[in-house]
Amino acid sequence: RRARAAPRATSATDAAHPRKALFQHGGLLSQVRLVMISRMAKPEEVLVVEDENGEIVREVTKDTEAIAQYKTMRETLVYLTHLNYDDTESIMLDKLALQVDGTEWSWANLNTLCWAIGSISGAMSEDEEKRFLVTVIKDLLGLCEHKRGKDNKACIASNIMYVVGQYPRFLRAHWKFLKTVVNKLFEFMHELHPGVQDMACDTFLKIAHKCKRKFVTQQPGEQRAFVHDLVQQLPQIISDLEPHQVHAFYEACACLLSDRGGGGAAAFAAERGQLLARLMALPNEAWRRIAADAQRDAATLTRSDVVRDVAKIAKTHTRVCGACGPLYVTQLGAIYLDLLNVYRAYSEAVSAAVAANGELATRHADVRALRAAKREILKLLATFVEKCAEPEAPPALVASNFVPPLLEPVLGDYRRSIAEARDAEVLNLLAATVEKLGELVAGEVPRVLDAVFEPTLAMITRNFEDFPEHRLAFFKLLKAVNTHCFAALFAIPPEHHKLVVDSVVWAFKHTERNVADTGLDILHELLLNVGRAPDAAKQPFYRAFLLPLLQDILAVLTDRLHKSGFKMHATVLRHVFHLVEAGHVTVALYDDDAAAAAQNNENNNTTNLGGGPSGDGTSAPDEDSDDDEANEPHCRQIVAAGGGAHKLRGKFRLALGIELEPFREMQSIVDGLLLLHELGVENEVYKVANVEADDATTNGDHQAMPAIPNLPLPPPTKRPVEVPAAWPKPLLPLLLVNVGSGVSCLLVTREGYARIGGTAIGGATFLGLARALTSATTFDEAIDLAARGDAANVDTLVEDIYGDTGCSDLGLPPSLTAASFGKLSRSAGGSASRPAGRGASADRRHGRAGGGDDDVPGAPSCASSSGAGRRAAESSYADADVCRALLEMVAQSCCVLARAHAAQLGCRQRVFFAGGFVDGNPLARATIANSLRSLGGKAHFLRHSDFLGALGAAAKCLSDGPKQKVPQMPAADRLDLLPKSPKSPTAAAHRAAASFGFGPPTAATAAAASTTSSQATTASTTSTTAGPQQHNAVAATSSSSG
């Protein structure tokens, strides 16, 4: 071993340069190397590990977190080695010496050291790497001979295999060392300790991939290439291996044969076929024995032991075919027809079992074994098609000789079988065939589509959950046909064109993202291919499918379940619009009769939506319309709401030539809600309910909560469920609470709408405080933390003040929030403390918030100090708890404000919530629903609440046109849309409408106001002496209106 060099003495000049000290031995970077080497994470290739009981076992499942950590640590250690490889080598060799002499011997220490040694492969020069690796391997082999016990030897063996597998450059440069390593792997394949054989086979497979040229060429001092000896000794090598290990070994050997040779290996190229035949001698002999028995008695094929053997043989052939590539054609040619006959026999056996016992037969063990063997045969054929290439298996030869005999048994069985007995591998095989052979099999595509389209669509369109493998494989086949054999789609019967389009639509409407993305890709490629087709083919397609496709794309574009595909939705829409605007679509996309009917409907809608400037439902002619149309054929005006409609108006005009017509934001939200109600969208309204007691609070079961509305409310205790609900009847008056950056409460009546209150505590408050107090940097991160948190760890609850006994005596729920973040105002000693902010979260996260009940102002002295409240106060809290408490604070404050306004206006059962904080935030919706329910109200939510502003702007276009001035607040534009209610609005709502300055009251409003004027005067003069609930509500309303 190379002795570790003595550290150079530090000179005064070096000491004056701190940067130089970093790179010296014993400096900061040297210490970092030592820590990284001592604590290296486990790589993916290691299968032999130490379990929690201190035993060496085989790893069952991969630790993905450890693998990710290993990749990061490996990259870091490689950089550190590049900076000073001498220091890295010295540290590793010193630690290895301590393992050999037993000073620091342990499985964990040896594992981390060897994982670190393997991670720096390629970071040293070739000479340095040679000297280093020879020393390491010699020490490890000596350690393996010296240590006693199977567990010790298994641990050392796994580390040897990992290290040698990580240094292919060294192995390729030193044949004798490589041969020694491989022979040692063959010895490990007879070791029966769990995991050792698996790791030996995997390491040999890795070495075969990286060093295959060394095995197939004759090395100096050898009589022949090593692969000859390997094939000859194969029966003895695999004698103790399990079936899956045998498959890995066959794959490694076939990988060696995939090397075509070059230079000195030219002679080997002629022997590849013979070596492959010798390699496959054992499975081929077993197959010939099964075929001979089947010729004497066909019933032997369905014996359970024979079925298992067929599956094993097919799996071995699959692994060999995937590794050696086109060379495998010589093996498949000998068994191909027999494979198809076996597949046909197993298909008939499955069909007979289903006919005798129905669908239940597919669950029997014998039938499952038959289907497993069929799947292995299909996988073998698909692998061969994917690997076919010149010169041994040219695609043209495969398409003419291989594909035709295959289709009859495979397609016939797929069509005849019941849904539960169809194999997804059939679709994968067909997709691979079309993908690889392309136009060579275009003539067979109509036959394929006719056999699989309708049966598969019937399976996957039942719902979005059943047959997931068939669904993915089907769309893979459809994508392959669309890409490589598009012309064949026009060769199928016209009635089947709709099946193709319907399947694409079903794909991009799917809730699984991978399926939806595949569907969008297929649709885009389909439209591009249709555009390249002759007019005689593409114009009928456009006429039949372009408008329905446009409607379906718009449907998913406005669906929150498909937000991830927005970019592709826009790409498809752009292409469709381009087809029409550029004149590529020359046929009418609609019938004349349908167009006339649509025009009549549009005129009726314009009348119903408020009409022109006169407001009487009629549309006044625009004197300048002819000139505008002559000067600018396309409308370039867009009605938009929000601050950007004003701030970005000039930029839109200059950059895009678009004139933004600003529309009042709150008015657009109200109009959007009313438009959704008028259109009657199915399942638009929903509520968030607790499955065990949804309507209990609305029936008066909770009487204590409405009496104390100023206290923060308890969080939901059960898992919430979103339940469809009907629109309230009557709809008006209603309270619309828009929770965005802040909160606005809008009262909507027949006479109009007005903002009657609000608060600055909204979504921006939640995000700002979350970023200041926790590690969250985005809204989504804060919501994810809140979903995992518990607000009780930071909020002061009623039980923290009164204890369990006091809560029961007072009739208060123990989980009622008494003070948001109340527990953070106390320290363990009882003094007030400030929680650490971001950047000092370690102390805050590991600290404890404690203190007695005396710390809470107003807490009774008789509170129990040993109750659940003290236990909660003394528990630690984390970022997730802070985010959860922030979310509940914002949501509950919204509910307290909404309840106060709704109670005064008489619409507690008609409160709608919308806004950015609510959309896409189920946790906030659940908190709002439970909190308002506890206060005697009911919260309603809308499926398309995030589009209310856009819908309101669209309604503005439909009613007034983009050029008309925006009506002045507070009167709403489209209140005549609302259905006539059997009951008049409540007197309180009329009084509020008048007090907030609604337009001229109607006769009914004036009458209601006159009959209640004395009551309103009395209420206004006695508001200061009313109960606290009424007083607070009036104060909030008056201050908010101001």
Side-chain angles (χ1 to χ4, degrees):
R1 174 182 306 163
R2 187 172 70 100
R4 178 173 176 176
R8 184 173 60 91
T10 303
S11 64
T13 303
D14 292 340
H17 295 81
R19 292 185 60 185
K20 290 185 177 180
L22 285 175
F23 297 91
Q24 293 174 355
H25 175 73
L28 178 60
L29 293 183
S30 182
Q31 298 176 34
V32 173
R33 293 186 188 96
L34 179 61
V35 172
M36 297 285 289
I37 294 170
S38 302
R39 302 184 180 182
M40 195 67 185
K42 185 184 75 66
E44 184 176 7
E45 296 88 347
V46 176
L47 301 178
V48 180
V49 296
E50 183 179 0
D51 65 2
E52 62 275 8
N53 299 321
E55 298 178 354
I56 294 295
V57 298
R58 182 187 186 278
E59 186 180 44
V60 179
T61 57
K62 294 185 180 298
D63 188 349
T64 55
E65 292 184 1
I67 294 173
Q69 183 182 5
Y70 167 77
K71 292 179 180 178
T72 303
M73 296 182 70
R74 178 187 61 186
E75 184 178 8
T76 305
L77 193 56
V78 167
Y79 285 138
L80 292 172
T81 305
H82 281 303
L83 292 176
N84 190 341
Y85 64 84
D86 282 331
D87 188 54
T88 304
E89 179 184 351
S90 298
I91 295 174
M92 289 182 174
L93 292 180
D94 283 351
K95 292 186 68 68
L96 182 58
L98 296 176
Q99 292 292 316
V100 173
D101 62 23
T103 305
E104 293 185 0
W105 161 256
S106 71
W107 296 334
N109 290 339
L110 181 64
N111 287 338
T112 54
L113 173 60
C114 291
W115 299 340
I117 291 173
S119 68
I120 63 171
S121 172
M124 300 180 181
S125 65
E126 191 167 353
D127 292 337
E128 293 286 343
E129 185 178 271
K130 172 185 176 182
R131 182 182 63 253
F132 172 67
L133 190 60
V134 168
T135 301
V136 170
I137 297 300
K138 286 182 178 180
D139 284 351
L140 289 177
L141 291 175
L143 190 62
C144 186
E145 296 294 333
H146 176 70
K147 290 293 180 182
R148 295 292 181 263
K150 288 188 175 182
D151 287 344
N152 290 334
K153 290 184 178 295
C155 178
I156 300 171
S158 68
N159 285 305
I160 292 175
M161 290 184 287
Y162 171 70
V163 170
V164 297
Q166 293 299 109
Y167 286 85
R169 182 177 65 175
F170 174 79
L171 296 178
R172 287 194 296 267
H174 301 84
W175 162 248
K176 291 185 177 180
F177 189 85
L178 172 60
K179 182 178 179 182
T180 302
V181 167
V182 170
N183 288 327
K184 193 65 178 180
L185 291 177
F186 294 161
E187 293 181 15
F188 289 150
M189 290 180 187
H190 297 282
E191 175 60 53
L192 301 182
H193 195 284
V196 174
Q197 291 176 315
D198 286 308
M199 197 163 179
C201 294
D202 292 345
T203 303
F204 178 55
L205 178 59
K206 182 192 300 184
I207 293 176
H209 277 285
K210 296 179 179 180
C211 308
K212 54 186 175 183
R213 178 64 59 86
K214 305 299 292 185
F215 292 96
V216 299
T217 56
Q218 184 175 348
Q219 301 298 324
E222 303 288 343
Q223 296 181 354
R224 56 181 179 176
F226 183 79
V227 67
H228 291 274
D229 298 332
L230 178 62
V231 172
Q232 183 178 352
Q233 299 171 9
L234 184 141
Q236 292 78 24
I237 296 174
I238 66 174
S239 59
D240 293 327
L241 297 180
E242 297 293 329
H244 70 279
Q245 297 162 352
V246 173
H247 299 151
F249 188 85
Y250 269 95
E251 181 181 357
C253 295
C255 179
L256 302 180
L257 299 180
S258 66
D259 190 279
R260 297 183 181 276
F268 168 74
E271 302 176 354
R272 294 170 65 224
Q274 300 176 5
L275 285 172
L276 180 60
R278 292 170 55 192
L279 174 66
M280 300 297 294
L282 292 179
N284 287 342
E285 177 62 28
W287 180 263
R288 285 191 291 268
R289 187 167 55 252
I290 292 174
D293 292 341
Q295 288 181 352
R296 291 190 295 270
D297 183 6
T300 59
L301 280 177
T302 56
R303 291 206 320 253
S304 59
D305 58 332
V306 175
V307 173
R308 286 195 300 270
D309 290 341
V310 169
K312 292 178 183 178
I313 294 172
K315 190 173 295 185
T316 303
H317 277 264
T318 302
R319 300 289 288 269
V320 171
C321 177
C324 70
L327 179 64
Y328 178 75
V329 68
T330 58
Q331 293 297 307
L332 183 62
I335 63 172
Y336 182 53
L337 295 180
D338 288 339
L339 274 177
L340 296 182
N341 290 332
V342 171
Y343 183 89
R344 186 181 290 106
Y346 285 173
S347 299
E348 294 173 355
V350 173
S351 300
V354 171
N357 301 307
E359 177 188 344
L360 187 63
T362 59
R363 306 175 190 175
H364 294 170
D366 293 342
V367 175
R368 290 206 309 269
L370 291 171
R371 294 188 61 200
K374 289 175 58 181
R375 286 194 294 269
E376 293 302 331
I377 293 175
L378 292 171
K379 290 178 182 178
L380 169 59
L381 300 179
T383 303
F384 172 72
V385 172
E386 293 173 353
K387 296 295 182 179
C388 69
E390 300 285 352
E392 293 90 350
L397 179 65
V398 174
S400 60
N401 296 342
F402 173 82
V403 175
L406 169 69
L407 296 181
E408 189 277 325
V410 172
L411 296 181
D413 173 62
Y414 191 87
R415 184 198 293 270
R416 291 189 299 268
S417 300
I418 63 173
E420 289 73 16
R422 294 189 182 118
D423 297 312
E425 279 71 18
V426 171
L427 302 175
N428 286 323
L429 170 60
L430 298 174
T433 302
V434 176
E435 182 80 22
K436 182 68 177 183
L437 304 180
E439 292 294 335
L440 297 173
V441 294
E444 302 290 352
V445 170
R447 178 184 176 187
V448 169
L449 298 182
D450 181 66
V452 304
F453 244 82
E454 291 189 59
T456 309
L457 279 179
M459 295 166 57
I460 66 176
T461 54
R462 297 178 185 175
N463 51 55
F464 284 150
E465 288 81 24
D466 294 344
F467 306 106
E469 295 178 354
H470 295 74
R471 181 174 289 109
L472 292 175
F474 175 76
F475 293 122
K476 181 180 176 182
L477 170 61
L478 185 59
K479 185 176 182 179
V481 172
N482 182 42
T483 303
H484 301 282
C485 301
F486 176 75
L489 289 178
F490 289 98
I492 63 178
E495 59 271 15
H496 287 181
H497 290 172
K498 189 175 186 304
L499 286 178
V500 176
V501 177
D502 287 346
S503 63
V504 176
V505 173
W506 183 261
F508 67 70
K509 285 187 174 181
H510 202 280
T511 54
E512 289 290 338
R513 180 171 179 175
N514 55 347
V515 177
D517 291 346
T518 302
L520 290 171
D521 292 337
I522 295 174
L523 175 61
H524 189 226
E525 185 71 22
L526 177 65
L527 293 176
L528 293 176
N529 289 334
V530 170
R532 291 189 285 264
D535 277 352
K538 66 182 180 183
Q539 297 303 330
F541 180 90
Y542 289 150
R543 182 178 180 86
F545 301 115
L546 200 60
L547 279 183
L549 286 174
L550 181 62
Q551 294 173 351
D552 291 324
I553 286 293
L554 290 174
V556 295
L557 182 67
T558 56
D559 186 355
R560 282 185 291 179
L561 295 176
H562 296 86
K563 286 184 177 180
S564 61
F566 179 81
K567 183 177 180 180
M568 200 62 190
H569 297 156
T571 301
V572 174
L573 285 178
R574 180 184 63 183
H575 182 71
V576 172
F577 296 156
H578 170 73
L579 290 176
V580 178
E581 291 188 359
H584 297 301
V585 180
T586 59
V587 296
L589 300 181
Y590 50 85
D591 296 331
D592 294 338
D593 296 338
Q599 184 64 36
N600 292 335
N601 290 337
E602 183 178 351
N603 294 336
N604 294 335
N605 290 337
T606 302
T607 302
N608 292 334
L609 289 173
S614 61
D616 57 358
T618 62
S619 179
D622 189 350
E623 297 179 358
D624 299 330
S625 60
D626 294 338
D627 295 339
D628 292 341
E629 291 178 2
N631 296 332
E632 189 174 5
H634 299 290
C635 177
R636 304 292 292 177
Q637 292 179 317
I638 296 178
V639 176
H646 299 272
K647 185 177 181 180
L648 304 177
R649 192 175 184 181
K651 293 183 178 180
F652 267 77
R653 185 187 303 113
L654 294 176
L656 303 176
I658 294 176
E659 187 68 29
L660 290 182
E661 291 292 336
F663 190 41
R664 296 186 183 274
E665 184 175 5
M666 295 303 169
Q667 184 173 351
S668 68
I669 294 174
V670 172
D671 287 359
L673 184 145
L674 298 178
L675 180 62
L676 285 175
H677 175 258
E678 181 198 19
L679 296 177
V681 180
E682 184 179 0
N683 294 331
E684 177 62 35
V685 182
Y686 67 96
K687 60 184 179 179
V688 180
N690 292 330
V691 293
E692 78 284 3
D694 176 23
D695 297 325
T697 56
T698 61
N699 295 330
D701 293 348
H702 290 68
Q703 300 297 332
M705 291 301 298
I708 48 173
N710 297 318
L711 286 177
L713 306 173
T717 58
K718 299 294 183 181
R719 181 176 178 84
V721 177
E722 294 184 354
V723 181
W727 288 90
K729 294 184 179 180
L731 180 65
L732 301 180
L734 64 84
L735 185 68
L736 176 59
V737 183
N738 188 54
V739 189
S741 299
V743 180
S744 295
C745 296
L746 307 176
L747 170 65
V748 185
T749 69
R750 290 186 181 281
E751 287 71 31
Y753 78 95
R755 185 182 187 276
I756 60 174
T759 176
I761 301 177
T765 308
F766 167 75
L767 179 57
L769 290 176
R771 295 183 66 178
L773 300 177
T774 71
S775 60
T777 58
T778 64
F779 185 78
D780 291 338
E781 291 178 3
I783 293 299
D784 290 340
L785 284 174
R788 302 193 298 268
D790 184 2
N793 290 335
V794 294
D795 291 346
T796 298
L797 307 182
V798 171
E799 67 173 351
D800 297 324
I801 300 176
Y802 295 103
D804 297 336
T805 305
C807 291
S808 60
D809 292 342
L810 296 175
L812 294 174
S815 60
L816 191 70
T817 306
S820 295
F821 294 91
K823 289 177 182 172
L824 302 191
S825 65
R826 299 174 297 172
S827 64
S831 60
S833 62
R834 176 178 298 179
R838 183 167 45 172
S841 59
D843 294 337
R844 169 170 56 79
R845 292 175 184 172
H846 299 290
R848 293 183 176 272
D853 295 326
D854 296 337
D855 298 325
V856 183
S861 59
C862 60
S864 172
S865 63
S866 61
R870 176 172 294 276
R871 289 192 301 270
E874 293 177 353
S875 62
S876 61
Y877 68 95
D879 286 355
D881 303 328
V882 174
C883 287
R884 183 59 173 264
L886 285 172
L887 184 142
E888 293 189 0
M889 179 185 71
V890 173
Q892 291 170 359
S893 64
C894 296
C895 291
V896 171
L897 182 62
R899 193 266 184 191
H901 290 310
Q904 183 192 23
L905 302 173
C907 56
R908 286 191 299 180
Q909 303 300 311
R910 295 184 297 277
V911 183
F912 286 79
F913 287 85
F917 184 70
V918 176
D919 300 330
N921 190 351
L923 189 59
R925 294 196 294 269
T927 304
I928 289 172
N930 282 276
S931 299
L932 193 60
R933 185 187 298 113
S934 300
L935 291 175
K938 180 180 289 188
H940 296 84
F941 305 94
L942 300 173
R943 298 286 180 193
H944 297 90
S945 61
D946 44 350
F947 295 98
L948 290 182
L951 290 172
K956 171 68 178 176
C957 294
L958 294 175
S959 60
D960 297 336
K963 290 188 177 182
Q964 197 156 7
K965 292 182 179 180
V966 179
Q968 295 296 318
M969 288 286 283
D973 286 345
R974 296 169 41 258
L975 293 176
D976 55 328
L977 286 175
L978 303 176
K980 301 301 180 182
S981 172
K983 296 182 180 180
S984 299
T986 63
H990 284 301
R991 292 198 305 272
S995 65
F996 293 124
F998 282 136
T1002 62
T1005 308
S1010 63
T1011 58
T1012 59
S1013 60
S1014 60
Q1015 300 175 3
T1017 304
T1018 303
S1020 62
T1021 56
T1022 60
S1023 62
T1024 57
T1025 60
Q1029 173 183 348
Q1030 182 180 1
H1031 175 76
N1032 289 336
V1034 174
T1037 302
S1038 60
S1039 64
S1040 300
S1041 62

